[in-house]
Structure formats: C-alpha cells, structure tokens
C-alpha cells in the first residue's frame, strides 16, 4: 500500500516510524516531513495546511491511504476533501475536529451531556471577561477558543495575570482570531494525565496513559510550551480511575459526538485532571498529542496501519491492540529561548551516538542541509525516546541517550518523569 502521512513534527516522525514497520506499507510518504522523517519516508514539499494541494498530490500519485496528523488541516476539512476524492483517510472530519478547534464548543458539549469538567464561562466581550475574572478571583484559567499551537492556555496565579492574558488574547490578538472568544474556567487541582484513544465513530480503544510536561523549565516553571517531554504509562492512572474514565468520560464523549451528527473517527486526546472529586476533562484534542505519541507508539505491539484502517472502516472492536510491557520516556531537546524567541539553522551532532545507545531520536524541528548535515529548524528540535522495564529505567535511558547530542543554545528539562 502507498501511504501518505500529513505533517512534519516529532509526532509525525513517530507515526511514520511505526507505519514503516508494517509489512502492508510498500511506499511511505510524508508532507512536508523533516530531516528525520526523510530517513523512513519520502518527503513531499507540500504545506500541511494546503488542503487542495495535498488532495491533488494524493490523487495524482495514487495514494491508497492518507493519515492526517496535525490539528490545523483537520479543522480545515482535509479528511472531508480526501474522502470526497475517494481516498481513504484517517482522522476526524471537520465537523468532529471542532472538539479541538473550538474550546467553547467542547465545553458546551460537556455541559449538555454531563461530562465532568471545570466550571466555566465563555466571553466575546473583554470588559465582561475582566469583570468575571475580578468576581471569581485567582487561581483561574484563561483559554483562547481556537487553535494556538498548544500555547493558548494561561493558568493564572493572580487576578492581574489573568486580566493581562485576557487582554493579550482579545485586544492584542496574540493568537489572531483564535483569541476573539475566550473560555475562563476554574483552576482544577490534581495530577494531570493524558489518555489518547483510537475511535471509529462508535467504538473506542484507549492507548496507554501518559503524562506530558508543558512548562518550559524544571519544577514546572516558565511559560507553557507544546510539551517538553512525556512518559507512559502514568502510575497515577489506576485501573479504578481508568474504569471511571471509560464510563463517565470516554464513552459518553463518543456517544455525544455521534448524537450531535458529528461521529468521530481518528484519535481523541483526553486531557484529564484527577481531582479529589474524580477525573475531569481539562481539554479534548482531535489527534495524537506531541510529545505523548513518541513514547506511546514505542510501546505499541500491533500493526498501526491495521488500527488506522479499522478506525476508518468502523471495525475497531475487531482489532486486538497489544502493548509491550514496561514503560517509555521522551525527552524534548529544544532551541534556546523556546517557546518565545529562538534562532534556527544550527548543526546537530551526536545523533548516531544517541541511537547506538538504544534510543530512538524522533525529529521535530530539523531540516537536512544540501551537505547532508542535520540542522535545527524549530523550537522543539528532537524527542529522544527510550523504553525500559520500569519507568525509572526508561527515564534514565532517555537522558543517557541525550548526552551525546548537542547544538547551539540547546536546552531541556532535567526532571521529566520526576515531578
């Protein structure tokens, strides 16, 4: 089968790496791809958001299957367009991808179908938002309604910080139109856990639980990023909690989307807070998370293409999805200054030495120079991923493998899986 993966980050590298292991995949392509993806797939220079260009290329090159990974093309309806062209595609249609594209929509859905989440209000008027913040006090959470590269959420410790966040989103247009509407919600307390789940519109198959580290610096300090590292499974996600989540959150969400005429096929990302009153939804995403995908797919023991096809065909309940024992950890190596201002184009050394230590180095923001040298080309540059019999072993292996790698101004957290 000829398979195309849409995207060009660390998550897409992990997806391509896993699909390349399938005996059914005879040709693998990735658009636009990156310097690391080029090792396992042929990269095609088409922007991930170019819906028409992607569909045209897939049709002209007779793709048998397309996997759309990032949030933007899903929200733009790339899966709808591929299906209309007669090409089987993995990922939700735009009508279902709205659970990520609009936080206001997802909160209304949860309220309507009694899915546990934080108390909230939605605002399009800045003065009303500021008055609500004053009235509620802090800590409080301010979220841009639309897509903002994982950076549109501010957990404010003070009323002043929350007010500033609302002004930046609504008045200064920090995230463009994504911040014209804001959701302001209570600050939930407890461990945060992510559960990704395959879904075929009717059936749902959760993957291993994971924990992401969003803050830029050690001790969960600094600004929110797209994620500085992740591990799986989470020791905090017990079988009892898993049972509650399935009954109170996962299945009701799938049923709610179906009832709304928006059946969800693809991967639902459940961001969960394990509060003293039970698990609650922090957010939904309509796709694989990054960097959670890297450790999770490292633990998958089933052909990923089989799972993707079952989600598209509505036969997910017939697939035996198996996971390896043990744990996995992904450590993100980032450009100095990320997530704010950073420089790119620096040579990366030590990649071969890192992989020789048994880790898999997934490329997120890299490009290949004409000389063949791998250069930095983004904020999050690499995801050094290792497995182990225990979580401690996996963490130690990821840090050991990261040691030989270097590029100018490289920075990373030293406490992934330890806080």
């Amino acid at each position: 089968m000829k398979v195309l993966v849409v995207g060009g980050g660390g998550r897409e590298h992990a997806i391509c790496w896993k699909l390349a292991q399938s005996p059914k995949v005879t040709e693998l392509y990735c658009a636009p791809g990156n310097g690391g993806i080029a090792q396992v797939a042929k990269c095609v220079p088409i922007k991930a958001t170019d819906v028409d260009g992607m569909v045209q290329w897939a049709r002209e090159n007779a793709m048998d299957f397309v996997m759309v990974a990032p949030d933007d093309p899903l929200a733009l309806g790339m899966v709808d367009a591929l299906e209309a062209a007669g090409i089987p595609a993995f990922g939700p249609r735009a009508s279902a991808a709205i659970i990520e594209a609009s936080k206001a929509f997802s909160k209304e859905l949860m309220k309507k179908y009694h899915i546990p989440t934080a108390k909230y209000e939605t605002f399009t008027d800045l003065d009303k938002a500021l008055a609500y913040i004053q009235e509620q006090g802090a800590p409080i959470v301010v979220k841009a309604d639309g897509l903002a590269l994982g950076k549109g959420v501010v957990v404010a410790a003070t009323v002043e910080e929350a007010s500033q966040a609302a002004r930046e989103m609504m008045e200064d247009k920090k995230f463009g139109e994504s911040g014209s509407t804001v959701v302001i919600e209570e600050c939930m307390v407890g461990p945060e856990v992510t559960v990704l789940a395959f879904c075929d519109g009717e059936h749902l198959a959760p993957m291993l639980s994971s924990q992401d580290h969003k803050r830029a610096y050690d001790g969960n300090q600094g600004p929110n990023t797209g994620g500085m590292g992740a591990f799986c499974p989470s020791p905090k996600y017990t079988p009892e909690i898993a049972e509650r989540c399935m009954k109170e959150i996962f299945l009701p969400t799938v049923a709610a989307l179906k009832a709304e005429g928006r059946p969800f096929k693809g991967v639902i990302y459940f961001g969960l807070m394990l509060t003293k009153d039970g698990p609650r939804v922090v957010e939904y995403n309509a796709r694989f998370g990054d960097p959670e995908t890297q450790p999770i797919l490292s633990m998958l023991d089933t052909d990923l293409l089989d799972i993707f096809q079952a989600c598209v065909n509505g036969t997910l309940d017939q697939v035996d999805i198996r996971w390896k024992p043990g744990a996995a950890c992904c450590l993100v190596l980032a450009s100095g200054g990320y997530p704010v201002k950073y420089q790119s184009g620096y040579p990366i050394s030590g990649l071969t030495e890192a992989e020789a230590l048994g880790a898999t180095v997934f490329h997120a923001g890299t490009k290949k120079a004409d000389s063949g040298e791998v250069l930095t080309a983004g904020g999050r540059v690499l995801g050094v991923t290792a497995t182990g019999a225990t979580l401690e072993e996996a963490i130690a292996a990821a840090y050991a493998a990261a040691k030989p790698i270097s590029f100018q101004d490289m920075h990373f957290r030293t406490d992934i899986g330890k806080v």
Side-chain angles (χ1 to χ4, degrees):
M1 281 181 76
K2 295 165 81 170
V3 177
L4 168 66
V5 174
V6 176
R11 162 188 55 213
E12 288 78 17
H13 190 179
I15 292 164
C16 287
W17 169 81
K18 200 69 193 174
L19 285 172
Q21 298 166 25
S22 169
K24 293 181 179 174
V25 178
T26 51
E27 291 179 44
L28 184 59
Y29 299 85
C30 188
N34 64 36
I37 292 173
Q39 297 161 15
V40 291
K42 291 172 191 163
C43 293
V44 183
I46 304 172
K47 270 188 175 173
T49 50
D50 181 356
V51 175
D52 293 340
M54 201 70 74
V55 174
Q56 187 183 338
W57 188 90
R59 190 197 274 131
E60 285 173 0
N61 291 274
M63 290 298 113
D64 297 305
F65 196 86
V66 179
M67 189 280 168
V68 184
D71 46 8
D72 287 327
L74 290 169
L76 289 168
M78 189 174 281
V79 168
D80 308 60
L82 286 160
E83 286 179 350
I87 301 165
F90 177 89
R93 295 172 188 145
S95 64
I98 195 172
I99 64 162
E100 177 173 12
S102 171
K103 290 184 175 65
F105 171 86
S106 66
K107 295 297 281 191
E108 288 297 324
L109 186 83
M110 288 183 260
K111 184 189 266 185
K112 182 176 176 182
Y113 290 92
H114 311 292
I115 296 162
T117 188
K119 190 182 94 175
Y120 75 99
E121 291 294 337
T122 302
F123 298 92
T124 52
D125 181 290
L126 177 61
D127 291 337
K128 287 179 180 170
L130 295 174
Y132 183 75
I133 290 166
Q134 285 289 343
E135 182 192 306
Q136 295 298 313
I140 196 164
V141 182
V142 183
K143 296 179 172 180
D145 174 51
L147 302 174
L149 298 172
K151 301 182 191 115
V153 177
V154 175
V155 182
T158 64
V159 166
E160 292 70 29
E161 193 186 343
S163 301
Q164 184 189 342
R167 281 195 188 91
E168 286 178 352
M169 289 177 194
M170 301 181 83
E171 199 168 57
D172 304 343
K173 300 292 182 195
K174 185 176 180 180
F175 303 111
E177 286 310 305
S178 286
S180 299
T181 300
V182 296
V183 174
I184 300 175
E185 60 184 41
E186 70 171 304
C187 186
M188 297 185 286
V189 179
E192 214 169 322
V193 171
T194 300
V195 177
L196 303 176
F198 295 112
C199 192
D200 69 358
E202 184 100 31
H203 311 101
L204 177 122
M207 302 181 217
L208 295 180
S209 62
S210 61
Q211 279 181 243
D212 182 13
H213 296 64
K214 284 284 184 203
R215 299 285 187 149
Y217 311 123
D218 284 5
N220 294 324
Q221 300 297 307
N224 260 348
T225 70
M228 293 299 290
F231 63 87
C232 72
S234 166
K236 297 188 170 91
Y237 191 72
T238 63
E240 293 74 30
I241 291 171
E243 199 176 323
R244 276 194 73 173
C245 286
M246 185 61 101
K247 199 165 99 187
E248 297 170 18
I249 295 172
F250 303 163
L251 292 174
T253 298
V254 175
L257 286 163
K258 190 182 172 193
E260 293 291 311
R262 303 170 183 267
F264 193 103
K265 293 185 175 190
V267 169
I268 303 183
Y269 169 119
F270 295 94
L272 306 169
M273 187 75 79
L274 308 183
T275 74
K276 60 178 175 50
D277 301 317
R280 291 188 187 182
V281 178
V282 176
E283 65 173 350
Y284 294 125
N285 287 340
R287 37 84 196 176
F288 278 103
D290 190 343
E292 298 96 334
T293 303
Q294 292 86 314
I296 289 169
L297 291 187
S298 297
M299 300 299 287
L300 180 64
D301 208 15
T302 300
D303 189 319
L304 185 58
L305 184 63
D306 285 347
I307 303 172
F308 284 172
Q309 287 183 302
C311 289
V312 172
N313 299 333
T315 55
L316 186 60
D317 57 327
Q318 295 167 34
V319 180
D320 177 23
I321 301 175
R322 296 177 305 280
W323 301 94
K324 296 169 187 169
C329 173
C330 172
L331 168 65
V332 170
L333 307 182
S335 295
Y338 172 79
V340 190
K341 200 175 177 188
Y342 57 86
Q343 301 292 316
S344 285
Y346 299 126
I348 304 169
S349 62
L351 293 170
T352 309
E353 292 85 343
E355 297 228 316
L357 291 167
T360 306
V361 182
F362 293 115
H363 293 229
T366 70
K367 66 178 179 188
K368 225 169 191 175
D370 293 339
S371 62
E373 196 172 30
V374 180
L375 307 175
T376 66
R380 290 186 294 172
V381 178
L382 301 167
V384 182
T385 306
T387 59
T390 64
L391 181 55
E392 291 70 27
E393 279 181 32
I395 293 166
Y399 276 98
K403 244 184 183 153
I405 300 174
S406 71
F407 53 85
Q408 192 171 319
D409 302 331
M410 180 175 97
H411 90 94
F412 58 91
R413 283 183 54 166
T414 64
D415 59 354
I416 300 300
K418 299 168 191 170
V419 290

